[in-house]
Amino acid sequence: MGRIYNGMPAKDLGTEGWHKPWSGGNGGSCLEAMKLSDGRVALRQSTDPDGPALIYTHHEIETFIQGAKAGDADFLLA
């Protein structure tokens, strides 16, 4: 695998290791996540598995999850 960067084609990260942690009754349109070997996290849209992957550091994803649990992202639901 070459250099891993934000916006790279998700297909370049391979097909193994992707998970749908928040899958629901939305017709299969889910966010998929993959933990990379260096601790970063890749996210992709399940309906576009060859599309771009967003790459986050461990700290960035941890901060987001903690904030979401605390209600900091609730404005996205209103």
Side-chain angles (χ1 to χ4, degrees):
M1 183 180 325
R3 183 176 76 90
I4 296 174
Y5 59 93
N6 200 28
M8 69 182 294
K11 65 181 177 183
D12 291 351
L13 294 170
T15 59
E16 300 297 318
W18 291 100
H19 300 277
K20 295 180 182 179
W22 305 285
S23 185
N26 57 5
S29 180
C30 305
L31 176 76
E32 293 183 318
M34 172 194 279
K35 188 168 184 180
L36 303 173
S37 62
D38 64 3
R40 291 183 293 172
V41 173
L43 301 177
R44 73 177 181 185
Q45 176 62 33
S46 66
T47 58
D48 188 15
D50 295 336
L54 299 177
I55 310 296
Y56 295 95
T57 66
H58 176 81
H59 177 73
E60 289 168 332
I61 210 74
E62 180 180 45
T63 300
F64 175 78
I65 291 171
Q66 288 175 349
K69 286 180 176 181
D72 295 342
D74 288 355
F75 72 94
L76 296 170
L77 304 176

